[in-house]
Amino acid sequence: MAIVVLVLWLFTAGAGFYLLVTSNLGRARPAATTPAAEPSVAPAEAATVPATPAASAAQPAASVAAPASKREMRRAVRDRFDPPSLTAAKNAPAVPGLRSMLEFAHPAFAIVGLGFWLGFTLVHDRGLGWIAFGLVTATVCLGLTWYTANTRAARREGPPESEPAPAFRTRLVLLHGSAATVTFALAALTALVLSR
């Protein structure tokens, strides 16, 4: 029975991998747009000569608005040579969004759980079986959360420049979900039967 669950788990993982490859996730997140490096305004202001005395009196008042500190000036000089990818990485949030986290965690938990189930199949140690069952339970919960987040994102309408919603083939989603359900049920049954 443990071998059947192992083969079914591998089939589920294969269907999930094919689902990821055929989706638009690789193309879903456009690169963050970075503002173009603006040339320094100070040399241009020094080169122009005001035509009237009233204009020369107004210019110093405008230029005194906010002097930059030495640290900010050094950082601006250093950052002007950054490629757009580095600028985007610096401006990205430190904690990824929910969908990005689930996109990583669901397959990661499944692969680790598959490794524990392989150990359970080879050794028949109850501890490995229960750890694998716990991981498959967490994987199912993460998968359902990921599916819910993607369907909500697909229904939500946003501005045209926002991140497009992921698109998955419905048949593949049903195949992967059905295989995961059977894997979960058989893993629970196997863990319960072999724990006696």
Side-chain angles (χ1 to χ4, degrees), residues 24-46:
N24 69 343
L25 285 178
R27 301 172 299 275
R29 293 175 181 88
T33 57
T34 58
E38 297 178 9
S40 178
V41 185
E45 287 178 356

Side-chain angles (χ1 to χ4, degrees), residues 29 37 39 60 69 79 84 98 111-112 125 128 141 157 171:
R29 293 175 181 88
S69 68
D79 287 349
L98 175 67
I111 291 169
V112 173
D125 182 21
L128 293 175
C141 292
E157 292 184 26
R171 289 183 191 169

